[in-house]
Amino acid sequence: MKKIIIAGGSGFLGSCLTQYYRDRGWQVHILSRQYQEDRDSIYHIYWDGKYLGDWAKVIEGADVLVNLAGKSVDCRYTKRNQQLIYSSRLDSTHVLGKAVQQSQNPPKVWINAASATIYRHALDRPMDEVSGEYGTGFSVDVCRKWERVFSEIETPATRKIVLRTGIVLGKNGGALQPLLNLVRVGLGGKQGKGNQYFSWLHELDFARIIDFLINREDTSGVFNAVAPHPVSNQQFMKTLRMTCGIPFGLPLPTWILKIGAFLIRTETELILKSRRVVPTRLLDHGFSFTFPNSENALAEILTRREHKAERRIEPIWG
Ligand SMILES: NC(=O)c1ccc[n+]([C@@H]2O[C@H](COP(=O)([O-])OP(=O)(O)OC[C@H]3O[C@@H](n4cnc5c(N)ncnc54)[C@H](OP(=O)(O)O)[C@@H]3O)[C@@H](O)[C@H]2O)c1
């Protein structure tokens, strides 16, 4: 039985990956700061994400290590939250590196989460792994330091991959639910100018990309994990409305978004930054997306959410 270790595997992306590999008969070991019950070849191991401990033994003989640990960025960027956003990513990556280095039989491949937000606000041209330009500011700095810690860890027997992931769309979490809430109350128009790009990825393709990179032993380094067709925010919101059967949606100008973000304790950057990112290296290596277009991706996810063939979501005023 193959063995995958997922650090931070209790969250949204970890749950997608856990289900994907459990369905394929793998043993899944989740490193978590919470005590949880084991079930159906899914094992939970307590760690603190900072220091070496007994948990490190689980790395021994694993086929794959994936690190998804990190405090959610969906919060106000207060000093305290900023510090937690940094430390949860840098410390977990650093300590996993120590565990891999001290292992007698280390994992063959280690995939570390990273973010497509490392690239600059881009309206003019797509950003890929070769010609993409880095942005500035807090989020970009987190991404750069996170990748630097990972790249500085030497693991001669373990292939390392950095996954610069876009906004993953899925049934049970991530960015889709808040956008659906807006659509349902008639506020599903464009946000801000609406011309900012939205680099998204279907949750199944997220798991398939990881699987592809595990199996392709000739791959290492940075990969953008985004669908090949980023769309503008205006286009994305229109597709979401159409998929829900709600043709009309009021736009949300930037000043309203700023008030709303303050009230719900988050930041407008998550919506207003233009992420025009493309998966050039994945395509060059022959990866084929199950959901290259947002129309099909949203239709599939919403169908599963509603548990019925009829995709229409009733507006709450209906
Ligand atoms: N979702 C996306 O669209 C997306 C896009 C780009 C990049 N990413 C990155 O991918 C990773 C996983 O994303 P996700 O959406 O699955 O996030 P998530 O649902 O918030 O899960 C992240 C997990 O990290 C663990 N964690 C939180 N704070 C931690 C800390 N201080 N120390 C150690 N572990 C901590 C938590 O596990 P326990 O509480 O069980 O310890 C949590 O379940 C994150 O690093 C995120 O930045 C996500």
Side-chain angles (χ1 to χ4, degrees):
M1 204 183 227
K2 292 228 180 187
K3 177 175 168 188
I4 182 169
I5 318 294
I6 313 179
S10 61
F12 168 49
L13 295 183
S15 304
C16 303
L17 214 50
T18 298
Q19 190 185 335
Y20 186 88
Y21 281 105
R22 196 217 30 215
D23 291 352
R24 282 156 185 79
W26 286 47
Q27 229 181 57
V28 181
H29 296 258
I30 294 174
L31 295 178
S32 168
R33 295 163 308 150
Q34 331 288 334
Y35 289 98
Q36 289 173 60
E37 279 197 14
D38 299 338
R39 60 185 163 88
D40 313 334
S41 301
I42 303 172
Y43 303 94
H44 294 88
I45 298 106
Y46 177 82
W47 80 328
D48 63 5
K50 285 186 195 149
Y51 300 108
L52 277 176
D54 254 13
W55 62 265
K57 291 183 193 146
V58 76
I59 303 273
E60 208 65 53
D63 294 278
V64 179
L65 169 63
V66 177
N67 179 20
L68 300 173
K71 177 187 163 35
S72 171
V73 293
D74 187 7
C75 59
R76 293 297 290 175
Y77 293 163
T78 58
K79 273 223 152 30
R80 170 89 184 124
N81 283 340
Q82 288 194 3
Q83 193 257 324
L84 282 172
I85 288 170
Y86 276 114
S87 62
S88 56
R89 287 167 177 78
L90 308 191
D91 294 351
S92 60
T93 303
H94 181 71
V95 77
L96 284 170
K98 283 191 184 171
V100 170
Q101 284 172 335
Q102 73 171 26
S103 165
Q104 301 296 308
N105 188 9
K108 295 175 195 66
V109 53
W110 173 8
I111 298 177
N112 217 52
S115 171
T117 210
I118 197 167
Y119 298 109
R120 68 168 167 83
H121 179 88
L123 295 166
D124 54 338
R125 69 176 182 90
M127 301 283 121
D128 73 8
E129 299 90 339
V130 178
S131 65
E133 296 159 80
Y134 294 147
T136 53
F138 165 67
S139 310
V140 171
D141 192 57
V142 172
C143 293
R144 296 190 70 165
K145 292 198 167 115
W146 195 9
E147 291 195 13
R148 193 173 316 137
V149 169
F150 184 57
S151 73
E152 283 171 357
I153 300 168
E154 288 185 21
T155 59
T158 301
R159 186 161 54 90
K160 290 196 304 174
I161 290 174
V162 177
L163 208 57
R164 289 183 185 161
T165 307
I167 295 166
V168 180
L169 304 177
K171 178 171 163 264
N172 296 321
L176 187 56
Q177 184 61 53
L179 296 177
L180 273 173
N181 292 343
L182 289 175
V183 166
R184 293 183 69 164
V185 297
L187 298 175
K190 67 180 182 184
Q191 290 146 352
K193 287 188 180 159
N195 63 346
Q196 69 274 28
Y197 280 83
F198 186 78
S199 275
W200 59 276
L201 179 68
H202 187 288
E203 59 183 339
L204 175 63
D205 278 329
F206 172 76
R208 289 183 60 250
I209 287 169
I210 290 200
D211 201 49
F212 177 83
L213 294 170
I214 290 170
N215 290 316
R216 282 289 297 262
E217 291 178 14
D218 58 333
T219 60
S220 64
V222 174
F223 282 83
N224 289 345
V226 290
H229 305 299
V231 288
S232 70
N233 168 278
Q234 182 164 19
Q235 182 58 47
F236 183 81
M237 291 310 294
K238 184 175 175 194
T239 306
L240 187 56
R241 290 197 311 271
M242 294 304 153
T243 314
C244 293
I246 300 175
F248 175 75
L250 282 175
L252 293 174
T254 303
W255 68 271
I256 291 190
L257 288 171
K258 284 195 170 143
I259 296 171
F262 180 78
L263 291 175
I264 62 167
R265 313 299 301 151
T266 190
E267 295 283 339
T268 51
E269 180 198 350
L270 301 173
I271 292 172
L272 297 179
K273 178 168 178 182
S274 186
R275 296 177 180 85
R276 189 171 179 184
V277 182
V278 286
T280 301
R281 286 198 75 207
L282 278 172
L283 295 173
D284 286 351
H285 280 82
F287 180 76
S288 157
F289 286 82
T290 304
F291 296 99
N293 296 305
S294 53
E295 290 82 358
N296 297 346
L298 286 172
E300 193 278 338
I301 294 167
L302 294 191
T303 301
R304 268 188 297 134
R305 279 175 64 96
E306 294 305 299
H307 288 292
K308 54 187 177 189
E310 172 63 53
R311 280 207 306 277
R312 185 181 170 83
I313 296 177
E314 293 301 328
I316 58 170
W317 63 86

